[in-house]
């Protein structure tokens, strides 16, 4: 049984990021999306030219993105703890929609994020990715609570 909310949040954050990457990375490779969210996270730490032109830049970018996903998973678990375990999938979608506005809309526009590029279609793709992330969080918490792995 997982009783520690931080450990549980980290776990569901990884599940949410994996769900997001299942859709995001192939779309990036097919050039439907110019930058995956990892590039935006990596631009906090590295120069824009480094984040996707070197193996080191890609590794740092994806680690930063997963760490951010873990942190968001922890916040989601505390959100669920405060509001109850009912309607977890809907709560996950709401959380994902909020993250799209906050992360992609607000944080991306801050000067600390060096990568600012966003084409119009990309914003809609990013909404989809954030909804998938929220859905992954909600489904993960729901499955773990049904199996009595969490209280």
């Amino acid at each position: 049984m997982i009783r520690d909310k931080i450990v549980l949040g980290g776990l569901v954050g990884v599940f949410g990021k994996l769900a997001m990457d299942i859709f995001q990375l192939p779309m990036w490779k097919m050039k439907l999306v110019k930058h995956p969210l990892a590039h935006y996270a990596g631009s906090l730490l590295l120069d824009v030219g480094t984040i996707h032109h070197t193996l080191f830049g890609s590794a740092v970018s994806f680690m930063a993105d997963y760490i951010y996903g873990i942190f968001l998973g922890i916040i989601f678990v505390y959100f669920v703890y405060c509001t109850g375990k009912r309607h977890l999938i809907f709560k996950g979608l709401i959380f994902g929609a909020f993250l799209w506005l906050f992360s992609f809309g607000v944080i991306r526009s801050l000067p600390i994020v060096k990568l600012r590029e966003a084409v119009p279609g990309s914003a809609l793709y990013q909404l989809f990715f954030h909804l998938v992330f929220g859905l992954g969080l909600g489904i993960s918490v729901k499955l773990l609570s049904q199996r009595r792995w969490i209280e």
Side-chain angles (χ1 to χ4, degrees), residues 88-114:
L88 287 171
I89 293 175
F90 186 65
K91 287 177 183 178
L93 289 171
I94 290 171
F95 192 76
F98 170 76
L99 288 177
W100 176 66
L101 288 174
F102 183 73
S103 294
F104 192 69
V106 175
I107 293 177
R108 188 183 54 81
S109 66
L110 295 175
I112 60 170
V113 179
K114 297 170 195 88

Side-chain angles (χ1 to χ4, degrees), residues 12-133:
V12 300
V14 168
F15 288 150
K17 276 298 301 159
L18 287 171
M20 179 191 278
D21 284 347
I22 286 171
F23 293 97
Q24 182 178 209
L25 296 180
M27 291 177 78
W28 173 55
K29 287 295 186 183
M30 293 186 297
K31 305 223 186 284
L32 295 172
V33 176
K34 187 160 186 174
H35 297 286
L37 291 168
H39 288 174
Y40 293 98
S43 77
L44 288 166
L45 307 166
L46 302 170
D47 293 331
V48 175
T50 306
I51 57 178
H52 53 81
H53 294 296
T54 66
L55 181 60
F56 177 76
S58 294
V60 168
S61 295
F62 281 93
M63 284 179 10
D65 196 29
Y66 269 82
I67 289 169
Y68 185 55
I70 288 168
F71 180 71
L72 293 172
I74 293 167
I75 293 171
F76 182 73
V77 165
Y78 277 96
F79 171 69
V80 167
Y81 178 73
C82 292
T83 62
K85 292 183 201 169
R86 295 185 68 201
H87 312 293
L88 287 171
I89 293 175
F90 186 65
K91 287 177 183 178
L93 289 171
I94 290 171
F95 192 76
F98 170 76
L99 288 177
W100 176 66
L101 288 174
F102 183 73
S103 294
F104 192 69
V106 175
I107 293 177
R108 188 183 54 81
S109 66
L110 295 175
I112 60 170
V113 179
K114 297 170 195 88
L115 181 62
R116 298 186 158 294
E117 190 175 344
V119 294
S122 175
L124 289 176
Y125 283 131
Q126 298 299 344
L127 171 61
F128 171 71
F129 299 144
H130 282 85
L131 290 175
V132 169
F133 176 71

